[in-house]
Amino acid sequence: MTTQDRLARWNAGSREAFVAALGHLFEHSPWVAEAAFEGRPFRDPEHLHAQLCAAMRGAGHARQRALILAHPDLAGRLGRAAALTAESAREQASAGLDEMAQDEAAELARLNRTYRERFGFPFILCARLNHRDAILAALRVRLESSPEQEHETALAEIEKIAWLRLQDLLKG
């Protein structure tokens, strides 16, 4: 099925079918797809992604925060317990987080804890666009940000994650 065929199906289908197909793009937050449904018809993948992001951005701060909180810590306990979503597991593996040396894993765990204590939510970075060294470096730098900056940065990273997940879905 081509990208245009998929878009046509999503444009013509029901809200339920749309959410079933796209609800996973934003971690445990199908409400984003549900809200974006009103933006139909979608001209192309970029337009669809823009509508999804607009739905996320248009939500109140509390709902955005819940979306951020739905994300797992990078290489955190969920990953060690094999309890990540399939998408998150693949994304973290692509960054080499499943192959970290013990000292690297300990450092990431320590930085994740510090970040969560400072901001009250997990550190979010599009793992597929970074390698573990870059992730550790970004985490150190972002610990110096304000809570408002980190909320905004987390949403921007979620948009990148959703774009890559949408690309995967369109490829079939």
Side-chain angles (χ1 to χ4, degrees), residues 13-157:
S14 69
R15 178 184 302 270
E16 293 76 22
F18 183 80
V19 173
L22 302 169
H24 71 283
L25 298 180
F26 291 77
E27 194 85 9
H28 299 293
S29 301
W31 63 265
V32 177
E34 188 169 344
F37 180 79
E38 300 304 324
R40 294 178 315 148
F42 306 109
R43 295 181 302 274
D44 52 40
E46 292 78 11
H47 181 232
L48 171 56
H49 182 254
Q51 292 297 313
L52 290 161
C53 293
M56 177 191 72
R57 295 287 184 162
H61 189 271
R63 199 146 206 206
Q64 291 172 350
R65 185 172 174 82
L67 168 62
I68 293 168
L69 286 167
H71 285 76
D73 286 326
L74 292 174
R77 66 176 173 74
L78 289 178
R80 290 189 305 275
L84 296 173
T85 63
E87 291 89 357
S88 288
R90 278 192 304 276
E91 291 158 359
Q92 291 196 27
S94 75
L97 295 178
D98 61 337
E99 300 172 347
M100 296 180 83
Q102 197 167 15
D103 61 328
E104 282 180 308
E107 174 72 357
L108 182 56
R110 184 188 66 74
L111 290 168
N112 272 333
R113 270 192 313 278
T114 302
Y115 184 96
R116 194 178 275 274
E117 288 167 4
R118 174 156 164 61
F119 298 109
F121 52 80
F123 174 74
I124 299 175
L125 184 74
C126 183
R128 284 171 61 181
L129 298 179
N130 292 278
H131 191 265
R132 64 181 179 249
D133 297 333
I135 291 169
L136 285 165
L139 187 43
R140 288 182 194 103
V141 168
R142 285 177 47 193
L143 277 167
E144 303 303 318
S145 298
S146 72
E148 296 79 19
Q149 288 171 313
E150 277 309 296
H151 180 91
E152 178 59 33
T153 300
L155 294 180
E157 292 297 319

